[in-house]
Amino acid sequence: MRELTERFAQLTGAPTPRLERLDRAALTARAVEPPVLGECVEMLYATENPHVLDSTETERVLGVSPTELDEVLSATARGAGFERRLGQPA
């Protein structure tokens, strides 16, 4: 997560974010307001348990390939209104 947010900041010219790890209890306590944080608590299993994502079969069957990370982050930045920052060097 840290590498992803740092790369997004580089692409948009934003300051490097300060990230802080929250355990389940702290996140649950903060999930009261706004309620959307409750969804983060529900999805903790995705970060608490190791898993491997393998797109080999999907690529073979559907003939698709992964999109480059910087392309995805740039599209996300444009969608979030960061167009003016994307022209800056990373």
Side-chain angles (χ1 to χ4, degrees), residues 2 8 10 18 31 33 43 49 60 82:
R2 186 172 307 279
F8 187 82
Q10 289 172 345
R18 186 179 75 83
E33 195 64 42
M43 299 300 296
N49 302 304
R60 185 187 68 75
F82 288 106

Side-chain angles (χ1 to χ4, degrees), residues 32-47:
V32 175
E33 195 64 42
V36 71
L37 288 180
E39 299 300 322
C40 294
V41 174
E42 184 177 330
M43 299 300 296
L44 280 175
Y45 73 89
T47 59

Side-chain angles (χ1 to χ4, degrees), residues 1 3 5 7 12 14 21 24 32 49 55-56 72 74 79 85 89:
M1 182 59 73
E3 290 176 24
T5 57
R7 184 64 189 139
T12 61
R21 182 176 176 83
R24 180 179 288 274
V32 175
N49 302 304
S55 64
T56 305
V72 172
S74 293
R85 291 185 173 181

Side-chain angles (χ1 to χ4, degrees), residues 33-89:
E33 195 64 42
V36 71
L37 288 180
E39 299 300 322
C40 294
V41 174
E42 184 177 330
M43 299 300 296
L44 280 175
Y45 73 89
T47 59
E48 294 173 338
N49 302 304
H51 54 279
V52 175
L53 300 177
D54 182 357
S55 64
T56 305
E57 185 71 4
T58 302
E59 291 179 45
R60 185 187 68 75
V61 171
L62 299 178
V64 297
S65 60
T67 304
E68 292 295 324
L69 179 59
D70 281 359
E71 185 179 337
V72 172
L73 293 176
S74 293
T76 301
R78 281 191 300 278
F82 288 106
E83 295 91 346
R84 67 189 182 288
R85 291 185 173 181
L86 288 173
Q88 296 181 0

